[in-house]
Amino acid sequence: MADLLELTPQGLYCREGDFHVDPWRGVPRAIVTHAHADHARPGCDRYLCAARGTLVLRERVGGGAPIDTLRWGESLSINGVKVSLHPSGHVLGAAQVRLEHRGRVWVVSGDYKVCDAFEPVACDVFVTESTFGLPIYRWAGPDRVAAEINAWWRDNQAAGRTSVILAYALGKGQRIAAIVDPAIGPIVAHGAVMKMVRAYRDSGVRLPPIDGVPPRARRVGDGRALVIAPPSVAGSRWLRLFGEASVAPASGWMTVRGIRRRRGCERGFVLSDHADFPGLLGAIEATRARRVLVTHGASESLARLLCERGLDAAPLATRFTGERPPDDATDDEADEPHDVRAAVEEGV
Amino acid sequence: MKDFAALYWRLDATTGTSGKLAALRDYFSAAPADDAACALHLLSGGKQSRAVSTTLLREWAAEAAGIPLWLLEECYAQVGDLAETLALVLPPPKADAAPGEAGLAAWIRTTIEPLRAADEPRKKEIVRDAWRRLHADERIVWHKLLTGGCRVGVSRTLVARALAEVAGIDPAVMTHRLMGGGIGSADDYRRLFSSEPGDADSQRPYPFFLASALDEPPESLGPVADWQAEWKWDGARGQVVRRGGACAVWTRGEELVSDSFPEIVAAAAALPDGIVLDGELLAVRADALLGFSALSRRIGRRRVTKKVLADVPCAFVAYDLLEEAGRDLRDQPLAERRRKLEALSLPAFPAPGATLQLSPRLAAATWAELAATRASARDRGVEGLMLKRLASAYGTGRTRGEWWKWKIEPLEIDAVLLYAQAGHGRRAGLHSDYTLGVWHEGRLVTVAKAYSGLTDAEIVEVDRIVRATTVGKHGPVRICSPTLVFQLAFEGVARSTRHKSGVAVRFPRIVRWRRDKQPEDAGSLADLFAMIDALPTPEPAT
């Protein structure tokens, strides 16, 4: 029997249902796991995503094309393929896509983070990401990361320095705002982050008060603020708005000292919207899938390890990128709205 | 251990000199003398040895982490630092671990020294026990101690300054007290803080005064008459210390190499007592310079065989006098020191048969004349000229503006990237170590490994191309289809039987990425042989 999903030049394609999952080109019908740019591209005729993710997806793909939605666990039949969406814990509305056809069940994880929100879905074939699929990647709990960020923020305040934390505009930026202690001082967000903050709030997510940066501002704050900005602002003129500042990226890659040093930052916080290595292994096991297809990241290593552990696993060459190492120039393009660079230059 | 690990990370996270200085000061003011002595040894780049093989460490770490060895190797390729890789894959320590309580000296005494003599099962027991007690950041430092690779990015000058501030004495005095290492115990460490002058008969050398590379036209230095010009020798910088009836030979790395140069020690015995010469250790037969590769057969050998002594005769060419009749001359101007040096009546180079020689002054009335002299440097087997201000005192470290290296332009060839390997440190996970080749009979043959010379942005870009053009893997080494051409500079080239290509290049480094060139445009082995043939001095085969 043919596979339920196959790799085509447009992306993962379900022939029976005649739709794509996270296509990287315009197609008639796209099921989108989440609104990061490597998974959600403009130019499709019709989208389907989780109801929770509608507003952020709309931000990403622009107006025009209709977006159909499903509530968590609700199912829909597309040309005889039963489709349902299940939370993946990655960013707002991020879903795993469950496909069922003639007794076969496939699940495409998209990007996922093993947390309270993540829901393991039993399946025969699991398509998993592997961004941090090496055993060096193991995350500390959010409380510990929050405590580190809070302490750094307070130290900077004492020294009169603004704290600038570099994080993806969608997901990580809001995650940080949600875990830090807003009693320490004002939280300020770059325009690209702010846009997604609004989408989060409009979707019912509660976030602490966050200020935007006024247009044509010459100077912002007095060294007390925590600024959340996309990685593309590193080294840009926009940062000068804050005077003396300590700049720290928040990324899973900050685990590795060489990457931290290359970034030239004295601090970096290990914080990711992706699963760490134990998380990936646990999630794969929880699906009870016998066959695992491994996409972007350490796909070859993880597939080999799974094979050694008795599963039928193979790497799958998609064009997803996941969380890119911070010195990868494609980093920001992959994960920021297209106007970020313009916004940086304008000092928005 | 906790305090030393904290110092290690504080130094690692601090880029500024003042921050590093403060970190060192804080550490040394609080540390017990035995811990401080160990830390000082490590910070000043003292000898370390490997207590357990990295092969065993990898196996044990993979076992403790419950992962196959190949996966640990994949992690290493990403992290670029073995100590860090091991620390990251290991399971977290026991919750009740109280790691830092024992000091650095105690950790070395109980978990590193006993390893050397222990059998394998006992070694494993000690290592696994330490892993259970250390947190990831401490593990990294401990692993570096274990494998003899604990290096910290601080200069000796900075360490000396910090200690001088803690002790409340002159930094120059502290620098001198630190010279030649030998601080192994708490007592040695305490002596550093003594207000009494040190042993008169010590064989310690002076801190070396260093030159900077001249990157402006020499005319910018003012009148040529203010400068002393000498050859820049292709040897090893050294000091000959003749004090208290004994002699010692030191290299710039503060290594005592008397045993490697018995003929120099013997010749120095003829000098009057209380003399310190600064100069160059050279491999030289009659008046022919044998080059640095020959000299390297002598340096670092504790026992020099008769054969090596005969194959590689050495001489010391003196260019400065730092001490006379036991009196420190370093504050005097170079012109005065030179006058006293010449008064010792050493024969000027080339003086066949003489073991102690004088580095001659190169006379010139104009900069143009000196430039012409410099142009003959490669033919003479030297690296260029040294320019020293006649009024200069003999300082410590590198003071820009007093001494300049005016090196000849390097040799160059365009070479093609053939293999790439991930780098270390801040280049971890990026393919930044390159093996380059040139054409020979229609094939590309490897001629050099090169690391530096590209900007960070270029390294990232090359890394992406390497990944995209990989046609095979050999362990961590990627074999690339030839697409990239780099301009390779090197200081020398010689025939070699040890290299497959038949040539060895010296100090190869990438000057620039030739985006304008295709692999077909790269140089050939014949080009390199032509360069060798153009050199007058036959280099010995190595």
Side-chain angles (χ1 to χ4, degrees):
Chain A
M1 204 168 3
D3 283 351
L4 203 46
L5 284 168
E6 60 190 283
L7 209 50
T8 69
Q10 287 74 35
L12 284 172
Y13 178 60
C14 176
R15 193 167 293 279
E16 276 80 5
D18 191 22
F19 56 81
H20 288 80
V21 179
D22 290 353
W24 41 80
R25 289 185 193 167
V27 297
R29 180 146 208 184
I31 300 179
V32 174
T33 60
H34 67 285
H36 275 146
D38 55 328
H39 293 260
R41 316 245 170 169
C44 298
D45 299 339
R46 191 173 192 94
Y47 294 91
L48 172 68
C49 74
R52 292 283 286 157
T54 323
L55 293 177
V56 285
L57 181 62
R58 182 59 80 195
E59 272 297 338
R60 178 70 69 194
V61 299
I67 299 179
D68 303 323
T69 61
L70 283 175
R71 288 189 309 276
W72 294 132
E74 184 190 0
S75 65
L76 169 77
S77 175
I78 305 178
N79 301 322
V81 177
K82 186 179 160 196
V83 177
S84 59
L85 303 177
H86 306 265
S88 84
H90 176 58
V91 299
L92 181 63
Q96 306 174 74
V97 180
R98 182 184 183 278
L99 306 175
E100 185 177 343
H101 184 253
R102 293 191 187 157
R104 289 178 297 161
V105 178
W106 284 52
V107 169
V108 180
S109 73
D111 291 339
Y112 62 99
K113 181 178 178 75
V114 181
C115 54
D116 292 343
F118 176 82
E119 179 194 315
V121 183
C123 56
D124 303 309
V125 182
F126 186 49
V127 180
T128 181
E129 63 138 324
S130 63
T131 308
F132 294 106
L134 286 175
I136 51 177
Y137 298 109
R138 248 190 320 229
W139 312 148
D143 293 350
R144 185 149 148 221
V145 182
E148 281 176 22
I149 297 175
N150 289 337
W152 167 76
W153 186 6
R154 283 197 192 93
D155 287 350
N156 287 334
Q157 273 190 346
R161 278 190 304 259
T162 304
S163 305
V164 180
I165 195 156
L166 303 179
Y168 285 169
L170 166 57
K172 189 97 51 83
Q174 293 74 28
R175 193 184 286 278
I176 290 165
I179 62 170
V180 295
D181 179 0
I184 298 174
I187 302 174
V188 175
H190 181 275
V193 180
M194 207 56 202
K195 200 184 275 186
M196 290 301 176
V197 165
R198 281 191 287 269
Y200 264 59
R201 284 195 174 128
D202 293 347
S203 306
V205 177
R206 286 176 55 181
L207 291 171
I210 302 172
D211 300 324
V213 177
R216 280 174 293 283
R218 300 215 148 266
R219 185 64 201 261
V220 176
D222 51 2
R224 293 179 55 250
L226 176 72
V227 178
I228 304 173
S232 54
V233 306
S236 77
R237 283 189 295 127
W238 185 82
L239 274 183
R240 294 191 210 148
L241 284 174
F242 306 99
E244 200 195 336
S246 174
V247 181
S251 163
W253 300 108
M254 292 295 117
T255 304
V256 176
R257 174 167 164 256
I259 298 177
R260 282 201 305 271
R261 288 170 69 200
R262 194 147 73 224
R263 196 73 204 251
C265 290
E266 296 190 358
R267 274 310 286 267
F269 299 102
V270 180
L271 182 67
S272 181
D273 288 334
H274 291 262
D276 60 3
F277 181 75
L280 288 168
L281 292 184
I284 290 164
E285 199 182 336
T287 64
R288 297 195 299 275
R290 298 302 308 157
R291 187 170 161 213
V292 180
L293 298 172
V294 188
T295 68
H296 58 307
S299 48
E300 284 177 31
S301 305
L302 188 58
R304 180 173 167 191
L305 183 70
L306 295 173
C307 287
E308 288 182 5
R309 294 186 176 181
L311 293 179
D312 173 11
L316 189 65
T318 62
R319 292 194 200 167
F320 307 134
T321 55
E323 184 169 351
R324 301 299 311 234
D327 43 11
D328 190 316
T330 59
D331 179 8
D332 306 326
E333 283 153 26
D335 235 331
E336 301 305 332
H338 299 293
D339 54 351
V340 163
R341 277 161 203 285
V344 167
E345 287 311 307
E346 288 160 15
V348 171
Chain B
M1 187 69 188
K2 187 169 69 186
D3 295 339
F4 181 71
L7 170 68
Y8 182 93
W9 291 112
R10 201 172 149 192
L11 290 172
D12 180 71
T14 315
T15 42
T17 304
S18 58
K20 285 186 195 275
L21 191 63
L24 290 166
R25 223 168 29 216
D26 291 350
Y27 177 80
F28 283 114
S29 4
D34 57 344
D35 290 345
C38 291
L40 182 56
H41 178 79
L42 296 166
L43 289 168
S44 44
K47 269 221 171 70
Q48 302 171 48
S49 59
R50 178 170 293 174
V52 55
S53 80
T54 57
T55 313
L56 286 174
L57 278 180
R58 287 171 209 227
E59 280 171 19
W60 299 338
E63 187 190 314
I67 56 170
L69 192 57
W70 64 261
L71 188 52
L72 187 134
E73 298 297 339
E74 299 257 319
C75 294
Y76 179 34
Q78 173 121 101
V79 175
D81 180 306
L82 186 66
E84 186 182 349
T85 308
L86 300 178
L88 289 173
V89 299
L90 286 165
K94 294 207 299 204
D96 57 350
E101 302 329 319
L104 176 62
W107 265 88
I108 292 176
R109 206 167 48 240
T110 58
T111 68
I112 294 186
E113 281 165 5
L115 277 175
R116 294 201 180 94
D119 58 9
E120 207 179 298
R122 175 72 190 130
K123 276 186 176 158
K124 186 170 174 181
E125 209 176 301
I126 296 172
V127 169
R128 294 193 62 140
D129 177 60
W131 280 341
R132 278 193 285 271
R133 287 151 59 203
L134 294 172
H135 292 278
D137 280 357
E138 294 157 341
R139 279 177 188 158
I140 296 178
V141 178
W142 184 71
H143 288 153
K144 288 182 182 285
L145 294 172
L146 206 55
T147 53
C150 188
R151 277 175 282 275
V152 189
V154 287
S155 69
R156 291 163 196 225
T157 318
L158 203 63
V159 174
R161 254 176 76 189
L163 282 169
E165 285 180 25
V166 174
I169 60 172
D170 183 350
V173 173
M174 182 57 80
T175 308
H176 198 181
R177 285 184 186 175
L178 289 171
M179 280 300 282
I183 292 155
S185 69
D187 284 343
D188 294 335
Y189 178 76
R190 285 191 200 98
R191 265 195 290 278
L192 291 175
F193 290 80
S194 141
S195 48
E196 302 292 305
D199 284 348
D201 63 346
S202 148
Q203 295 296 310
R204 272 193 304 232
Y206 289 99
F208 285 82
F209 189 40
L210 307 176
S212 319
L214 184 66
D215 35 24
E216 304 277 320
E219 287 77 11
S220 65
L221 300 179
V224 70
D226 291 351
W227 295 84
Q228 170 176 314
E230 307 155 21
W231 295 119
K232 182 177 183 335
W233 303 103
D234 182 21
R237 182 84 182 271
Q239 282 181 33
V240 169
V241 178
R242 165 92 180 96
R243 284 191 202 118
C247 308
V249 182
W250 297 86
T251 61
R252 209 191 103 186
E254 283 168 40
E255 240 176 301
L256 184 60
V257 291
S258 306
D259 292 345
S260 307
F261 297 95
E263 73 269 62
I264 293 176
V265 172
L271 292 168
D273 208 67
I275 289 262
V276 177
L277 296 171
D278 181 21
E280 197 95 355
L281 294 158
L282 292 174
V284 55
R285 180 189 304 284
D287 60 351
L289 290 167
L290 303 184
F292 186 83
S293 50
L295 185 70
S296 58
R297 292 179 62 196
R298 290 285 294 273
I299 291 180
R301 291 226 183 165
R302 203 144 285 178
R303 289 273 161 267
V304 183
T305 61
K306 279 200 177 116
K307 179 172 184 322
V308 173
L309 271 175
D311 285 356
V312 190
C314 288
F316 183 82
V317 176
Y319 37 66
D320 215 327
L321 181 64
L322 309 185
E323 181 176 313
E324 188 187 43
R327 206 159 65 85
D328 183 348
L329 303 181
R330 292 177 299 157
D331 285 341
Q332 299 189 6
L334 171 62
E336 183 57 22
R337 298 198 308 273
R338 178 77 192 187
R339 200 184 55 72
K340 291 181 168 143
L341 174 65
E342 287 178 4
L344 292 175
S345 302
L346 302 175
F349 180 91
T355 305
L356 296 181
Q357 306 186 21
L358 176 72
S359 178
R361 278 191 70 170
L362 303 172
T366 62
W367 287 115
E369 233 176 283
L370 266 187
T373 308
R374 171 173 168 265
S376 72
R378 181 164 282 125
D379 290 350
R380 293 169 181 270
V382 297
E383 295 181 326
L385 301 187
M386 292 297 304
L387 302 173
K388 299 174 181 172
R389 197 186 289 278
L390 282 163
S392 63
Y394 190 96
T396 55
R398 206 184 300 272
T399 312
R400 266 184 90 80
E402 300 290 74
W403 287 17
W404 298 102
K405 302 181 265 200
W406 190 19
K407 294 201 345 180
I408 41 177
E409 303 302 326
L411 297 164
E412 286 182 346
I413 195 164
D414 289 331
V416 183
L417 178 76
L418 298 177
Y419 310 116
Q421 193 172 350
H424 297 265
R426 57 194 294 274
R427 291 174 174 182
L430 280 179
H431 290 84
S432 59
D433 299 357
Y434 312 127
T435 302
L436 303 168
V438 294
W439 291 102
H440 180 60
E441 295 175 350
R443 290 184 313 116
L444 285 162
V445 294
T446 64
V447 289
K449 282 192 81 170
Y451 303 88
S452 62
L454 297 180
T455 65
D456 286 354
E458 283 174 332
I459 290 172
V460 171
E461 202 181 336
V462 170
D463 175 73
R464 214 171 296 138
I465 297 171
V466 163
R467 289 172 194 275
T469 57
T470 298
V471 291
K473 275 195 191 177
H474 210 82
V477 179
R478 282 174 185 258
I479 304 163
C480 306
S481 62
T483 55
L484 300 178
V485 181
F486 296 110
Q487 187 174 332
L488 186 72
F490 43 97
E491 290 306 314
V493 55
R495 284 176 206 280
S496 164
T497 48
R498 276 199 329 210
H499 295 78
K500 235 187 193 167
S501 62
V503 295
V505 295
R506 178 149 181 245
F507 287 150
R509 70 266 179 192
I510 291 167
V511 185
R512 66 179 64 86
W513 181 358
R514 296 299 305 254
R515 294 172 193 263
D516 55 325
K517 294 210 170 185
Q518 297 302 313
E520 305 81 80
D521 306 328
S524 69
L525 213 46
D527 296 339
L528 290 174
F529 279 115
M531 291 179 200
I532 296 172
D533 293 339
L535 295 171
T537 315
E539 297 238 2
T542 51

